Amino acid sequence: MKVGLIDEIPEETVAERKRRLRAGSNPPSNNGGGGPDDGGDDPRGKQPAAKQFDDEEDDNRVPDKAKVVTWFLLLVVLMTFGGLIGAYIVISTNNVLEWRPFELPLPIWVSTALILISSFVYHVAQRAIEANNQKRSQQFLIGTTVLGAAFISSQLLAWMALVNQGLYMSGNPYAGFFYIMTGVHAAHVAGGIVALGAILLRAWTPTEYGPELEYRRNLARSVGWYWHFMGVLWLVLFVLLGFWK
């Protein structure tokens, strides 16, 4: 035993201890190999376990492209109908002689009921998709599609009723706005039916929890925004054409 001398701690041991304290893990084994905290050549080895798990979740997450497309479409629809509604209000308040309103035909009232019911049915279908209830989602998606097709059919019946009364777009601005706004809205509903068909085709194939189910949920949510927006927009048009004359 040497008195007055202090053994110097090896520099390698100090570095390993600092690295172990930073990583917050157990000391490596003494077999000479790199432990789980040494990191090796993988830079992710120096990250905490929770951080590595979050990174793996982010890598497996499905990009929600449908969300971006839907918001863009909704913006375009909002701008389109915003211009039409603004022009309608301005012309209707000018009291021009050519402005001759008429009573809404019965199919328009039927259309209102159909599109409101379709929004509720789609809501049930979306809940079934989120719960991965395949059979229930199929049934209610088919129901929403049928109601959407019935809505467009009722619009055709309304136009035929007006034509039989001799009401055309020319010579009456009110009739012109009626044909244009209901026609453009029906075209957008037809686009929504196409989107419903895309979801229905995917819902027809069984799937377990994973990227495919996440994609279906994202798609159903985006189409739901679009479909419900069409319902709200129709209510606005219904109030304008029926009660703002």
Side-chain angles (χ1 to χ4, degrees):
M1 177 177 180
K2 297 181 181 181
V3 181
L5 296 178
I6 300 176
D7 292 336
E8 182 179 0
I9 301 175
E11 182 177 355
E12 182 179 0
T13 304
V14 175
E16 291 177 357
R17 183 175 299 176
K18 289 182 179 180
R19 184 165 60 252
R20 192 164 59 248
L21 291 176
R22 285 197 303 268
S25 59
N26 296 327
S29 59
N30 296 327
N31 57 5
D37 299 319
D38 291 341
D41 296 334
D42 186 5
R44 297 179 62 174
K46 298 182 180 180
Q47 299 179 1
K51 178 63 177 177
Q52 294 183 26
F53 180 78
D54 293 339
D55 291 343
E56 292 176 358
E57 288 290 325
D58 293 338
D59 294 340
N60 295 328
R61 190 165 299 161
V62 179
D64 193 358
K65 298 179 181 179
K67 180 179 179 180
V68 178
V69 175
T70 302
W71 279 111
F72 175 77
L73 290 176
L74 291 180
L75 180 61
V76 173
V77 173
L78 185 61
M79 294 176 61
T80 301
F81 280 93
L84 290 174
I85 292 173
Y88 176 91
I89 294 175
V90 170
I91 296 178
S92 64
T93 55
N94 286 339
N95 296 322
V96 295
L97 295 177
E98 293 82 4
W99 187 264
R100 297 188 301 274
F102 48 80
E103 294 298 327
L104 296 180
L106 179 60
I108 294 297
W109 296 83
V110 177
S111 299
T112 304
L114 289 173
I115 201 165
L116 291 178
I117 297 173
S118 70
S119 289
F120 173 76
V121 174
Y122 184 84
H123 175 73
V124 178
Q126 184 178 355
R127 294 290 297 271
I129 293 174
E130 292 175 354
N132 199 19
N133 189 335
Q134 181 183 356
K135 187 173 183 59
R136 185 176 176 87
S137 64
Q138 290 174 0
Q139 294 173 345
F140 282 88
L141 283 173
I142 292 175
T144 307
T145 305
V146 171
L147 289 170
F151 173 85
I152 296 179
S153 299
S154 64
Q155 296 294 292
L156 295 174
L157 293 176
W159 300 333
M160 292 173 60
L162 294 180
V163 171
N164 292 333
Q165 298 177 21
L167 298 172
Y168 304 97
M169 294 182 61
S170 60
N172 186 353
Y174 176 80
F177 275 108
F178 181 91
Y179 282 109
I180 292 174
M181 289 195 291
T182 57
V184 175
H185 183 272
H188 285 85
V189 172
I193 293 177
V194 174
L196 286 173
I199 302 177
L200 187 58
L201 289 177
R202 285 186 170 271
W204 219 262
T205 304
T207 184
E208 298 297 332
Y209 293 92
E212 172 62 22
L213 180 59
E214 182 181 356
Y215 178 81
R216 293 182 186 183
R217 289 170 174 172
N218 293 338
L219 185 61
R221 179 192 58 191
S222 299
V223 175
W225 291 340
Y226 183 89
W227 194 261
H228 297 316
F229 183 81
M230 287 296 106
V232 174
L233 182 58
W234 174 256
L235 291 179
V236 173
L237 298 179
F238 177 77
V239 171
L240 281 176
L241 295 172
F243 303 98
W244 189 298
K245 302 179 180 180

